[in-house]
Amino acid sequence: MSAAEPKPVSMFDVAKRAGVSHQTVSRVINDAPMVAAATRAKVKAAISELGYRPNRSARTLAGGAVRSVTVFTFDTSLYGTAETLRGIEDAASAAGFTVLISVLDPEQTYTEGEILGRLSHDGAPAIVIAHDETTTQARRILRKAQPGAVVATGDDKLRDEPGAADWLVPLDDRLVAKRATRYLLSMGHRTVHYLAMPGKARRQDGWSEALLEAGIEPPEVIPSGWTIGSAATAAADLVADPEATAIMCGNDDLAFGVLHAAHHAGRSIPGDLSVIGFDDCPMAAYHIPGLTTVDLDFRGVGRSAFELLRHKLEGGPEPRTSWRSPELIVRETSGPARPRS
Amino acid sequence: MSAAEPKPVSMFDVAKRAGVSHQTVSRVINDAPMVAAATRAKVKAAISELGYRPNRSARTLAGGAVRSVTVFTFDTSLYGTAETLRGIEDAASAAGFTVLISVLDPEQTYTEGEILGRLSHDGAPAIVIAHDETTTQARRILRKAQPGAVVATGDDKLRDEPGAADWLVPLDDRLVAKRATRYLLSMGHRTVHYLAMPGKARRQDGWSEALLEAGIEPPEVIPSGWTIGSAATAAADLVADPEATAIMCGNDDLAFGVLHAAHHAGRSIPGDLSVIGFDDCPMAAYHIPGLTTVDLDFRGVGRSAFELLRHKLEGGPEPRTSWRSPELIVRETSGPARPRS
DNA sequence: TATGATCCTGTTAGCGCTCACAGATTCCGG
DNA sequence: CCGGAATCTGTGAGCGCTAACAGGATCATA
């Protein structure tokens, strides 16, 4: 049915065609100096005539500069991780890097061998998007095994580890969580509840700090899963309680779940209840009512993570951090507390 | 500052330790037959004592069975593509495959070399998630270059190409689009408008067929971008028109945009206007009002695409298609047309 | 013209693995 | 007790590339 696959053209084919040695071809495709302009042109011509494309496996095997990153994450379809991945991909492909992805199951515990075995080879560069236990652990394993080739992003508490600045691109949302909580307090709410995603996020710290500073004992955190549905379930009791007038949620999806639950409990937004999310996903602005939330530049963080990794790999000037800092965006799900009767 | 990187352990180290030849080690890690049980045990012990992990680059270079897939897509953060990618990843990592991803910019046109150059090597297996022009073209290039190692998924019209069954995992939504349109018609709507994503989707065919069969000339399609915002803008005029009572949207995000626009135009849902989406993303059920939409099993399609690819690569029994067929889920954004005054 | 420095190019080895094959050992029926 | 299969194991070559070095030109300087 199908013709025999034609043997792919190698560096030697190009070399023969251009009348040079294979090493010269190598120099040309790696933009090495010490090649005469005329030779370079000849080789380039041969390359395009033959449609030659270098073999990445051979390149890595031969120990050339590494041109791939493995991204570890626990879910590619959540807004935050998807955007971060996107940012990494943007920066990586612009730099000619290949992106591999490795999804870790949050339900599972991985051994060191299982994590390292997911790399294309020992010492291969990696970026960990760490938002939960499993990915955080993966980060620990990877950093221990090959500190020079791993960076991480995310919102786990372990950023307090010594030297974290060397390898962490943090989404500094603690401060803005604090600001958001203060904002709610300033609207007359007597306290602010927090609906948390699995894992410990710094934003939770910001929330409790703000309350404490206002002399308020933080109420018990409401634990939720990652899905809208789990948030709706988790918040069911809370939204039914007329005493609760302000809820901050770990991310926008959870906020949507809470809003849904509140709607079914017959509470009006923001009259009876103020709700705040995190992420500013595209839906937030188009939800009715518009969701008050925190703009988080995941894509920028992803890009920066890649730049930092590249810096560790290739040296060069320290890349400057370049993502928007988190900011509270007030829309229509938050407002003044109803005066107490 | 850092100690010298220890040289990674190779197959030869394991061989020496186990007192066998490197080839025997190779047999063990590849689960080849013709190895005595005792030898196998000895080698396995050596492997775990030394923490040996095979080098993927070396394996592919040496021409062993391929253990990686490159996924081409145009956006990793859209619900449909993210879920498909997730499905591919699930199946791939279960089968011990590495997933590489390559994001194509929809604004850009790629040459054959640019597409093929993104593969790890000539002939490397690939899956294309083709929902737009750019990815569809990438699919054409890849299929031409290496028909034995490329499958595609998605909703482009080119599924009508001869022999498509061999390499396409289709999301058969034409029929359900037709059913959805008929459903709206049966609710008394005089016609149904269609808000389209970029690229030509089969669901649009289903829509026009249903109208034609009912003796209705399909109204002009409203073109939209991929974002919620673009849909809101695109639909602004339409929702303001009291004659328009039913709109079908290319996906849920677009539907949310339309709903937002309708809200601002002061039209009540579903009293004045019925809106239907596609995808049944998690938000659809929690939107207020609940979005009538079509359940599309992207994850299942992704899994199947991988299985089909693997079948092409390794032979074996034809994998059976195993994803939920699309189904209309009626929620609260659709209902009977208001009786004409 | 000798003498080095500077530029360019080729040769060789080897990355870690799999393939194809060749040898060694065991087991069986005749 | 032998021939031949069946089972196991080792040897050699080579995948396509890069690193390290060894040359051969060419040029300015003495």
Side-chain angles (χ1 to χ4, degrees):
Chain A
M1 194 61 100
S2 67
E5 300 274 333
K7 189 163 178 298
V9 341
S10 84
M11 189 169 257
F12 287 86
D13 303 323
V14 176
K16 196 188 297 171
R17 171 87 164 223
V20 298
S21 79
H22 73 274
Q23 178 60 354
T24 300
V25 178
S26 170
R27 288 192 185 98
V28 170
I29 65 175
N30 288 304
D31 276 325
M34 302 290 109
V35 179
T39 313
R40 191 180 293 272
K42 227 171 21 181
V43 172
K44 283 199 165 157
I47 286 176
S48 67
E49 282 163 25
L50 260 38
Y52 166 71
R53 268 158 292 112
N55 181 316
R56 291 183 198 253
S57 303
R59 279 178 117 163
T60 25
L61 183 58
V66 191
R67 305 211 148 284
S68 71
V69 217
T70 304
V71 179
F72 288 83
T73 178
F74 77 103
D75 192 334
T76 44
S77 38
L78 290 175
Y79 178 74
T81 52
E83 283 289 302
T84 308
L85 177 59
R86 182 69 197 280
I88 295 171
E89 222 285 340
D90 283 355
S93 67
F97 275 57
T98 300
V99 179
L100 293 84
I101 94 164
S102 183
V103 174
L104 267 23
D105 180 356
E107 307 284 291
Q108 208 175 322
T109 313
Y110 297 86
T111 66
E112 189 175 324
E114 283 167 338
I115 295 294
L116 297 176
R118 284 164 172 255
L119 296 171
S120 62
H121 59 97
D122 272 347
I127 296 177
V128 184
I129 305 178
H131 286 278
D132 71 337
E133 280 302 313
T134 306
T135 41
T136 298
Q137 198 212 338
R139 193 217 56 204
R140 242 181 266 126
I141 292 172
L142 286 161
R143 285 225 30 96
K144 196 177 129 212
Q146 41 183 65
V150 176
V151 307
T153 171
D155 184 354
D156 59 288
K157 299 254 274 188
L158 287 146
R159 78 171 53 175
D160 300 320
E161 283 178 23
D166 285 351
W167 51 265
L168 186 71
V169 178
L171 200 54
D172 202 1
D173 41 11
R174 203 197 83 240
L175 217 67
V176 72
K178 198 164 170 178
R179 276 213 298 272
T181 309
R182 283 210 199 107
Y183 154 77
L184 286 171
L185 259 18
S186 77
M187 298 302 256
H189 298 278
R190 303 181 65 213
T191 190
V192 175
H193 294 268
Y194 183 69
L195 188 85
M197 306 172 287
K200 305 154 193 47
R202 293 271 285 199
R203 38 194 93 156
Q204 180 175 329
D205 296 345
W207 162 77
S208 59
E209 279 173 29
L211 289 178
L212 255 14
E213 284 177 12
I216 301 165
E217 180 67 20
E220 210 167 324
V221 169
I222 319 287
S224 164
W226 287 99
T227 64
I228 305 185
S230 72
T233 309
D237 288 344
L238 185 62
V239 297
D241 177 2
E243 289 293 313
T245 65
I247 306 180
M248 194 163 96
C249 304
N251 71 21
D252 286 349
D253 272 355
L254 304 196
F256 294 137
V258 170
L259 256 11
H260 187 263
H263 176 78
H264 277 269
R267 304 197 69 191
S268 83
I269 308 284
D272 296 334
L273 183 66
S274 286
V275 176
I276 287 189
F278 265 87
D279 286 4
D280 193 31
C281 70
M283 185 69 204
Y286 290 92
H287 188 266
I288 302 161
L291 178 66
T292 294
T293 185
V294 173
D295 168 38
L296 256 29
D297 185 12
F298 288 109
R299 207 176 283 202
V301 164
R303 264 195 305 268
S304 302
F306 176 78
E307 293 306 342
L308 178 60
L309 180 67
R310 199 178 175 203
H311 165 72
K312 291 181 72 115
L313 254 32
E314 304 175 355
E318 187 86 21
R320 37 195 199 80
T321 61
S322 58
W323 61 94
R324 298 192 301 278
S325 42
E327 204 162 328
L328 181 67
I329 299 178
V330 178
R331 295 204 181 92
E332 300 146 29
T333 57
S334 60
R338 170 163 298 173
R340 319 201 79 215
S341 51
Chain B
M1 194 61 99
S2 67
E5 300 272 335
K7 190 165 180 294
V9 342
S10 85
M11 188 170 257
F12 286 87
D13 302 323
V14 177
K16 196 188 296 172
R17 170 87 165 222
V20 297
S21 78
H22 68 111
Q23 177 60 359
T24 301
V25 178
S26 170
R27 286 191 186 97
V28 171
I29 65 175
N30 288 304
D31 275 325
M34 303 288 111
V35 180
T39 313
R40 189 179 296 270
K42 228 171 21 182
V43 172
K44 284 197 166 160
I47 286 176
S48 66
E49 282 163 26
L50 261 38
Y52 166 70
R53 269 158 292 112
N55 181 315
R56 290 182 199 254
S57 303
R59 277 176 117 160
T60 28
L61 181 58
V66 192
R67 305 211 149 284
S68 71
V69 217
T70 303
V71 178
F72 287 84
T73 178
F74 76 103
D75 192 336
T76 44
S77 40
L78 289 176
Y79 178 74
T81 52
E83 282 289 301
T84 308
L85 178 59
R86 181 69 198 279
I88 294 171
E89 221 286 341
D90 283 355
S93 67
F97 274 57
T98 299
V99 179
L100 293 84
I101 95 162
S102 183
V103 174
L104 268 23
D105 179 356
E107 306 285 291
Q108 208 175 323
T109 313
Y110 296 87
T111 64
E112 189 175 324
E114 284 166 338
I115 295 294
L116 297 176
R118 283 165 172 255
L119 296 170
S120 61
H121 59 97
D122 272 349
I127 297 178
V128 184
I129 305 178
H131 287 279
D132 72 337
E133 280 302 312
T134 306
T135 41
T136 298
Q137 197 212 340
R139 193 216 55 207
R140 242 181 264 124
I141 291 171
L142 285 160
R143 286 225 31 93
K144 195 175 133 216
Q146 42 183 64
V150 176
V151 307
T153 171
D155 184 357
D156 60 288
K157 301 254 275 190
L158 286 145
R159 78 172 52 175
D160 301 319
E161 283 179 21
D166 285 351
W167 52 266
L168 186 70
V169 178
L171 200 54
D172 202 0
D173 43 9
R174 203 197 81 242
L175 217 66
V176 73
K178 197 164 171 178
R179 277 213 298 273
T181 309
R182 283 209 199 105
Y183 153 77
L184 286 170
L185 259 18
S186 78
M187 299 301 258
H189 298 277
R190 302 179 67 211
T191 190
V192 175
H193 294 269
Y194 182 70
L195 189 85
M197 303 170 291
K200 308 157 192 44
R202 294 271 286 199
R203 39 194 92 157
Q204 180 175 330
D205 297 345
W207 162 76
S208 60
E209 279 172 30
L211 289 177
L212 255 14
E213 283 177 14
I216 300 166
E217 180 66 21
E220 208 168 324
V221 169
I222 319 288
S224 164
W226 286 100
T227 64
I228 306 186
S230 72
T233 309
D237 288 345
L238 185 62
V239 297
D241 177 3
E243 290 292 313
T245 66
I247 306 181
M248 192 162 97
C249 305
N251 71 21
D252 286 350
D253 272 354
L254 304 196
F256 294 137
V258 170
L259 256 13
H260 187 263
H263 176 78
H264 277 267
R267 305 198 67 191
S268 83
I269 307 287
D272 295 334
L273 184 65
S274 286
V275 175
I276 287 187
F278 264 86
D279 287 1
D280 193 31
C281 70
M283 185 70 205
Y286 290 92
H287 188 266
I288 301 161
L291 178 65
T292 294
T293 185
V294 173
D295 168 39
L296 255 29
D297 185 13
F298 288 109
R299 208 176 281 203
V301 163
R303 264 195 304 269
S304 302
F306 176 78
E307 293 306 341
L308 178 60
L309 180 67
R310 199 178 174 203
H311 165 73
K312 291 181 73 119
L313 255 31
E314 304 174 355
E318 187 85 24
R320 39 195 197 78
T321 61
S322 56
W323 62 93
R324 300 192 302 277
S325 42
E327 203 162 329
L328 182 67
I329 299 178
V330 178
R331 296 203 181 93
E332 300 146 29
T333 56
S334 61
R338 170 162 297 172
R340 320 201 76 216
S341 53

